[in-house]
Amino acid sequence: MRDVFKRIGGKAAVDAAVDRFYVYMLEDDRVKHFFANINMEKQRQHQKDFIGFALGAEGGYAGKDMRAAHQHMVDHMGLSDVHFDATMENLVKALRDLKVPEDIIAEAGAIVESTRTDVLCR
């Protein structure tokens, strides 16, 4: 696997993308309710750590696995493909805002898409 983390621009690029991503997520009526009672500073940092790890950053990931992290949202908030699709759209918009090349966006998107089954607890 090619190292998407380095090709995307490393930690600084991931941090910028996640910050921009949450601007879109918190404005998106399809998904913003999932963050109503969330500490967004902590959420942003958690997402930066996870995305970095998923894209090939060195080091480990200390967070919950995808199923454990999202089960309550599936069971109690109706997390579904509609929400996953909105998340993907917002991530792509954030990456495009940062002028990430389309081939890297496609590769990063495929990595995120590979988590759909676990995120939706299927």
Side-chain angles (χ1 to χ4, degrees):
M1 177 177 119
R2 295 191 290 169
D3 190 351
V4 176
F5 180 75
K6 287 181 184 172
R7 289 180 27 241
I8 206 169
K11 183 181 182 327
V14 169
D15 288 356
V18 169
D19 288 340
R20 187 72 189 142
F21 165 74
Y22 277 114
V23 168
Y24 288 128
M25 292 294 281
L26 294 173
E27 293 174 346
D28 190 327
D29 289 336
R30 298 170 294 176
V31 292
K32 67 183 182 183
H33 63 282
F34 289 108
F35 304 99
N37 297 308
I38 299 296
N39 175 333
M40 288 308 297
E41 183 176 329
K42 184 177 175 182
Q43 179 65 25
R44 278 184 188 89
Q45 187 57 55
H46 173 76
Q47 193 71 288
K48 289 171 183 178
D49 293 343
F50 174 73
I51 294 289
F53 170 75
L55 297 182
E58 291 186 16
Y61 173 70
K64 295 178 182 178
D65 69 54
M66 288 295 101
R67 287 178 185 269
H70 295 91
Q71 187 70 58
H72 71 284
M73 293 166 57
V74 171
D75 293 345
H76 303 291
M77 300 177 81
L79 183 67
S80 72
D81 285 298
V82 169
H83 307 113
F84 194 96
D85 292 344
T87 300
M88 290 287 291
E89 289 171 25
N90 289 323
L91 178 60
V92 168
K93 283 196 300 189
L95 294 172
R96 286 183 175 147
D97 285 352
L98 297 171
K99 309 284 190 257
V100 173
E102 288 295 321
D103 63 318
I104 296 174
I105 291 173
E107 199 168 340
I111 292 167
V112 174
E113 180 64 40
S114 75
T115 70
R116 182 184 294 262
T117 298
D118 286 337
V119 167
L120 298 178
C121 302
R122 294 186 183 143

